[in-house]
């Protein structure tokens, strides 16, 4: 297992290099320079050139990229062009909001969709099955930001029971969490349902029944874990989508997370901050994937022993 | 040895009701088995062998498979009328089943030792402690020739033959009175097949377990069975002791087809010889004798009237050829 984790960590290196190189290339192709941004419209061209020279803006592309990587490895993502703050500090200030939002959404997804999918599978074609799967279809076909807006209109504006914006206390997180988890809950509960139905038709389930096990025991002891194997894979893919969704959700709910930080940075052409946020999100994504794969090893013994 | 009647099926009828059609899988199946006896249940694919076995455990697929008539008596219990709770006490305890495919019969995410222990835990009438159950698991593994220190391994770490042994260990863990083995050896190669059969024979002797052996292979039946029942299209068309059927004095034309050209008992490697034609469509069974479209001896009466049972001693044949001059019952 340790060997596997180390191998996976090493495999993250080329992935991170690829992502940063791609973003770095795109950012260098876009117009704008730090001198103009920092010194403002009143500065002369000479002053701007001197500032750009000082910041290494005129260095060749690969020198700049190499510098970025070397510094990033040491935890230094550069200095914001806009407010002259270290990018790492900016990100760490914003990280807790994004982190909480993602974790709450993952928890909500797991807590709701796995039991719901299981119940729907056990009571196939019952009212609860039909209603929950119709709801899932509805949720799955709704864009994240639209669901967010609808929740704000209903619960914040009309009913006035939850705040629409901000990230001060736990109440602020309720609507964004639901909005972010919504479509993933839909996907995962449907996935759980079909997989559970399939698993319950397996020969080893019949073996368990032939031993005299109750239906409850058959589901708990024999079906759930086998159902989770494919469900966790799909969940892993969706967690990445969820992380991307935080960018939209933070925007809709006016939350000070990494998503809003990045959007503002793009707006102001603050390239170090854009690079920093993208690199950080990519790192989070890789770590989530690794955690999912490790948990997969615990659920499916066929993987652990390989 | 106690030889009382252990299992009796009378006129059992089972229908699979799917969204599109009704499959008449069992049509008045009658069978009986004494304690300690081995019954070979033979017939082509689709004859209803597995369905018969699942009916005895009342494990027909939910909402689809239904017992529509007849009775199953097991050790004084009316299985057809028994509740789920009563059935759970019987399953894995008094009646065990070895399913057709050992590759898929074991749960891939549970260590094999735990899978053997499960029936012991579920039917712990003797009040075994956890340590005693572990001991019993070790003993069962040894019995089927697997080292007990492999009990923490998962099914994918075993070969096909070893999986089959584990499946047998699970089935025998609670010393069942009746063991139903559904083609326990088809997935195995010939040497292992022989080993597994020999092992089941030994265990049966040791524990006085009754055995229903479902197979396509007449050679296996000749080797280890006391009784034979031949199934065709959901009916038992011939039954009797091994000698009744294999002496080949009188046989149902379908059984004759099964024997093919091989003439006697001495040849032990009998295999199913192909019989011309196919099994009838169980959703639309032919009138009269269900075998008549394929029967080389078919007469006019066969196309309109169902044959009755012709009986001499323990030998029963359901065919017009015999009932015209013979000893008719029913
Ligand atoms: N779940 C099901 N739904 C509908 N029909 C079924 C179902 N299971 C079995 N049948 C039908 O019932 C009939 C008897 O099937 P069964 O499995 O008992 O045959 P079998 O004698 O065990 O055959 P094999 O030798 O191939 O195992 C077949 O016509 C089969 O198609
Ligand atoms: S009853 Fe007629 S058709 Fe059926 S097996 Fe006998 S001879 Fe053949
Ligand atoms: Mg079968």
């Amino acid at each position: 297992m340790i060997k596997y984790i180390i191998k996976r960590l090493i495999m993250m290196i080329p992935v991170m290099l690829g992502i940063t190189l791609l973003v770095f290339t795109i950012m260098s192709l876009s117009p704008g320079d730090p001198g103009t941004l920092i010194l403002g419209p009143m500065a002369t061209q000479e002053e701007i050139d001197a500032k750009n020279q000082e910041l290494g803006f005129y260095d060749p592309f690969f020198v700049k990229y190499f510098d970025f990587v070397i510094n990033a490895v040491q935890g230094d993502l550069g200095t914001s062009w806009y407010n002259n703050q270290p990018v790492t500090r900016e990100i760490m200030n914003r990280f807790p909001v994004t982190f909480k939002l993602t974790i709450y959404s993952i928890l909500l997804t797991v807590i709701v969709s796995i039991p719901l999918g299981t119940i729907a599978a056990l009571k196939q074609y019952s009212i609860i099955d039909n209603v929950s799967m119709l709801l899932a279809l509805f949720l799955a076909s709704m864009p994240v930001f639209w669901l967010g807006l609808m929740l704000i209109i209903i619960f914040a504006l009309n009913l006035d029971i939850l705040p629409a914006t901000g990230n001060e206390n736990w109440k602020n997180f309720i609507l964004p969490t639901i909005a972010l988890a919504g479509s993933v809950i839909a996907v995962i509960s449907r996935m759980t349902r079909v997989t559970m139905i399939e698993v319950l038709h397996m020969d080893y389930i019949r073996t368990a029944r032939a031993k005299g096990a109750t239906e409850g025991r058959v589901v708990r002891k024999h079906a759930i874990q086998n159902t989770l194997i494919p469900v966790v894979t799909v969940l892993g893919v969706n967690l990445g989508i969820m992380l991307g969704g935080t960018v939209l959700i933070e925007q809709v709910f006016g939350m000070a997370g990494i998503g809003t930080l990045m959007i503002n940075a793009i707006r102001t052409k603050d390239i170090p901050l854009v690079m920093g946020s993208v690199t950080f999100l990519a790192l989070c994504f890789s770590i989530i994937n690794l955690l999912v794969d490790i948990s997969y090893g615990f659920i499916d013994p066929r993987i652990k022993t390989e | 040895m106690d030889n009382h009647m252990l299992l009796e099926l009378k006129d059992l009828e089972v229908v699979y009701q799917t969204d599109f059609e009704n499959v008449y899988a069992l049509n008045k199946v009658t069978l009986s088995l004494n304690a300690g006896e081995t019954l070979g249940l033979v017939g082509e694919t689709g004859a209803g062998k597995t369905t018969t076995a699942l009916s005895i455990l009342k494990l027909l697929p939910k909402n689809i498979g239904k017992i529509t008539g007849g009775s199953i008596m097991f050790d004084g219990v009316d299985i057809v009328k028994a509740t789920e709770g009563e059935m759970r006490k019987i399953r894995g305890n008094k009646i065990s089943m070895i399913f057709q495919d050992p590759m898929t019969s074991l749960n891939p995410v549970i260590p094999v030792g735990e899978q053997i222990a499960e029936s012991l835990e579920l039917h712990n009438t003797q009040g075994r402690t956890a340590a005693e159950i572990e001991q019993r698991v070790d003993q069962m593994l040894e019995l089927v020739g697997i080292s007990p220190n492999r009990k923490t391994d998962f099914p994918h770490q075993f070969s096909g033959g070893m999986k089959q042994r584990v499946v047998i260990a699970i089935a025998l863990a609670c010393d069942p009175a009746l063991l139903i083995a559904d083609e326990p050896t088809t997935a195995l190669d010939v040497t292992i097949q022989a080993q597994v059969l020999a092992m089941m024979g030994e265990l049966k002797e040791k524990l006085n377990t009754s055995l229903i052996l479902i197979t396509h292979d007449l050679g296996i039946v000749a080797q280890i069975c006391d009784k034979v029942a031949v199934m065709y299209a959901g009916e038992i068309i011939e039954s009797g002791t091994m000698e009744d059927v294999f002496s080949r004095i009188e046989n149902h034309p379908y059984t004759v087809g099964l024997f093919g050209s091989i003439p006697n008992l001495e040849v032990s490697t009998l295999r199913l010889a192909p019989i011309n034609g196919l099994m009838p469509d169980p959703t639309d069974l032919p009138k009269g004798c269900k075998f008549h479209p394929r029967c080389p001896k078919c007469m006019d009466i066969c196309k309109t009237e169902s044959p009755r049972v012709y009986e001499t001693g323990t030998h029963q044949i359901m065919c017009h050829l015999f009932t015209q001059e013979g000893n008719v019952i029913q």
Side-chain angles (χ1 to χ4, degrees):
Chain A
M1 200 64 187
I2 305 275
K3 224 165 91 187
Y4 173 75
I5 294 172
I6 291 171
K7 205 171 90 192
R8 285 296 310 268
L9 285 171
I10 292 171
M11 269 161 59
M12 269 165 66
I13 296 171
V15 172
M16 290 305 297
L17 283 176
I19 292 169
T20 48
L21 184 61
L22 186 72
V23 181
F24 207 82
T25 311
I26 295 170
M27 294 312 287
S28 2
L29 292 177
S30 66
D33 62 276
T36 320
L37 196 67
I38 294 166
L39 300 175
M42 305 305 283
T44 64
Q45 191 57 43
E46 286 74 41
E47 285 171 326
I48 289 171
D49 282 348
K51 189 71 184 170
N52 281 343
Q53 195 76 48
E54 181 200 324
L55 290 168
F57 184 68
Y58 296 132
D59 290 349
F61 175 82
F62 277 104
V63 173
K64 283 196 284 186
Y65 179 66
F66 190 71
D67 281 345
F68 169 79
V69 172
I70 293 293
N71 289 329
V73 169
Q74 296 163 5
D76 174 12
L77 290 167
T79 309
S80 163
W81 289 350
Y82 190 69
N83 60 9
N84 221 16
Q85 293 290 316
V87 170
T88 315
R89 193 203 293 163
E90 290 274 309
I91 288 174
M92 282 310 145
N93 284 342
R94 300 297 195 97
F95 181 56
V97 170
T98 306
F99 183 72
K100 275 191 221 162
L101 187 55
T102 318
I103 293 292
Y104 293 161
S105 300
I106 294 172
L107 287 180
L108 186 69
T109 303
V110 172
I111 289 169
V112 173
S113 38
I114 290 171
L116 193 66
T118 305
I119 292 168
L122 295 179
K123 309 243 181 253
Q124 217 181 328
Y125 307 125
S126 67
I127 292 178
I128 179 159
D129 180 24
N130 288 330
V131 169
S132 60
M133 287 307 123
L134 197 70
L135 202 70
L137 188 69
F138 181 64
L139 277 177
S141 41
M142 235 184 314
V144 166
F145 67 88
W146 193 78
L147 178 58
L149 289 175
M150 287 303 120
L151 289 173
I152 290 180
I153 291 174
I154 296 168
F155 293 98
L157 298 183
N158 289 348
L159 300 176
D160 197 20
I161 45 174
L162 287 167
T165 58
N167 46 261
E168 288 74 36
N169 64 35
W170 62 271
K171 274 190 179 166
N172 290 98
F173 280 89
I174 295 177
L175 293 182
T177 301
I178 295 173
L180 186 56
S183 65
V184 184
I185 288 179
V187 172
I188 299 299
S189 41
R190 287 193 325 170
M191 178 83 192
T192 307
R193 177 181 177 272
V194 288
T195 315
M196 179 62 86
I197 289 172
E198 210 173 284
V199 165
L200 286 174
H201 281 105
M202 292 296 200
D203 285 353
Y204 54 81
I205 295 295
R206 194 174 55 181
T207 306
R209 291 193 179 122
K211 286 181 193 169
T214 60
E215 274 309 288
R217 185 185 168 98
V218 165
V219 172
R220 266 182 287 113
K221 189 118 204 292
H222 293 273
I224 287 275
Q225 201 179 339
N226 282 292
T227 303
L228 284 181
I229 294 171
V231 168
V232 167
T233 314
V234 175
L235 186 64
V237 174
N238 277 279
L239 293 186
I241 296 173
M242 221 183 229
L243 197 62
T246 56
V247 176
L248 291 171
I249 288 296
E250 286 171 15
Q251 206 63 26
V252 171
F253 289 91
M255 304 174 89
I258 293 178
T260 33
L261 182 73
M262 188 166 74
I263 300 240
N264 288 337
I266 292 170
R267 233 179 245 148
T268 55
K269 292 230 160 59
D270 192 346
I271 291 177
L273 199 51
V274 175
M275 278 307 299
S277 335
V278 172
T279 308
F280 187 77
L281 284 180
L283 189 67
C284 291
F285 183 74
S286 302
I287 291 172
I288 287 178
N289 266 333
L290 178 61
L291 291 178
V292 168
D293 284 352
I294 292 172
S295 72
Y296 203 72
F298 283 102
I299 297 170
D300 190 350
R302 281 164 294 193
I303 297 201
K304 195 158 52 182
T305 48
E306 255 164 31
Chain B
M1 205 183 278
D2 167 26
N3 275 337
H4 67 282
M5 167 109 54
L6 184 70
L7 177 74
E8 189 174 30
L9 275 61
K10 245 198 194 129
D11 296 331
L12 188 67
E13 293 178 43
V14 170
V15 181
Y16 290 109
Q17 292 172 326
T18 67
D19 289 345
F20 315 102
E21 56 197 12
N22 286 348
V23 180
Y24 298 95
L26 295 188
N27 307 296
K28 294 198 184 290
V29 165
T30 298
L31 269 183
S32 70
L33 188 65
N34 292 338
E37 261 180 352
T38 299
L39 168 77
L41 193 57
V42 289
E44 279 173 275
T45 178
K49 306 181 296 294
T50 301
T51 305
T52 307
L54 291 176
S55 309
I56 296 169
L57 281 170
K58 251 175 123 170
L59 278 178
L60 291 165
K62 238 187 274 168
N63 305 328
I64 299 175
K66 287 195 183 84
I67 296 176
T68 49
S71 69
I72 305 172
M73 292 300 292
F74 170 77
D75 210 13
V77 180
D78 185 342
I79 301 267
V80 177
K81 296 211 179 89
T83 62
E84 256 303 292
E86 287 165 339
M87 282 315 295
R88 276 200 295 270
K89 290 205 186 90
I90 293 176
R91 289 183 199 131
N93 189 21
K94 291 183 179 156
I95 308 179
S96 279
M97 181 154 173
I98 298 170
F99 288 101
Q100 213 158 350
D101 188 355
M103 302 303 157
T104 55
S105 293
L106 295 171
N107 192 330
V109 301
I110 301 178
V112 295
E114 253 179 66
Q115 299 195 47
I116 299 172
E118 186 170 22
S119 25
L120 293 165
E121 285 157 11
L122 288 168
H123 306 288
N124 198 357
T125 41
Q126 302 166 27
R128 285 190 174 105
T129 64
E132 281 165 342
I133 286 179
E134 278 311 299
Q135 231 173 5
R136 174 79 179 156
V137 169
D138 292 357
Q139 197 189 341
M140 288 317 294
L141 280 169
E142 259 164 25
L143 196 68
V144 296
I146 295 175
S147 161
N149 56 30
R150 294 206 57 185
K151 67 181 170 187
T152 50
D153 285 357
F154 291 91
H156 71 275
Q157 291 162 289
F158 290 84
S159 71
M162 291 171 91
K163 276 186 216 168
Q164 185 61 291
R165 286 154 188 261
V166 173
V167 169
I168 293 172
I170 292 175
L172 293 174
C174 291
D175 292 339
L178 173 63
L179 176 64
I180 306 172
D182 193 354
E183 302 190 27
T185 57
T186 30
L188 308 176
D189 68 51
V190 189
T191 21
I192 299 172
Q193 193 172 327
Q195 283 176 24
V196 168
L197 281 176
M199 191 185 75
M200 286 198 338
E202 262 170 53
L203 296 174
K204 206 182 77 68
E205 286 305 307
K206 221 183 279 178
L207 308 169
N208 194 32
T209 301
S210 300
L211 174 65
I212 297 181
L213 183 70
I214 298 175
T215 179
H216 286 123
D217 193 334
L218 288 175
I220 292 178
V221 175
Q223 269 175 44
I224 66 168
C225 294
D226 308 314
K227 280 182 171 179
V228 188
V230 182
M231 280 196 94
Y232 185 81
E235 286 174 341
I236 307 278
I237 48 104
E238 176 165 358
S239 66
T241 63
M242 231 271 289
E243 290 76 20
D244 288 337
V245 177
F246 278 73
S247 62
R248 309 207 49 210
I249 297 162
E250 280 177 329
N251 279 123
H252 189 282
Y254 177 69
T255 316
V256 173
L258 286 186
F259 280 126
S261 56
I262 301 163
N264 60 47
L265 243 174
E266 275 66 56
V267 185
S268 60
T269 50
L270 303 177
R271 271 255 152 208
L272 290 195
I275 299 165
N276 284 335
L278 295 170
M279 274 282 268
D281 177 0
T283 59
D284 183 22
L285 291 167
K287 275 214 176 66
C289 171
K290 298 188 175 61
F291 186 56
H292 86 252
R294 297 168 74 185
C295 183
K297 302 245 170 84
C298 180
M299 303 168 287
D300 283 340
I301 182 175
C302 305
K303 294 174 186 162
T304 51
E305 264 176 63
S306 294
R308 285 178 293 173
V309 175
Y310 159 76
E311 188 172 82
T312 45
T314 49
H315 197 183
Q316 301 191 331
I317 303 176
M318 202 165 85
C319 172
H320 286 303
L321 283 179
F322 302 95
T323 46
Q324 285 176 346
E325 72 261 26
N327 185 3
V328 179
I329 60 153
Q330 185 186 354

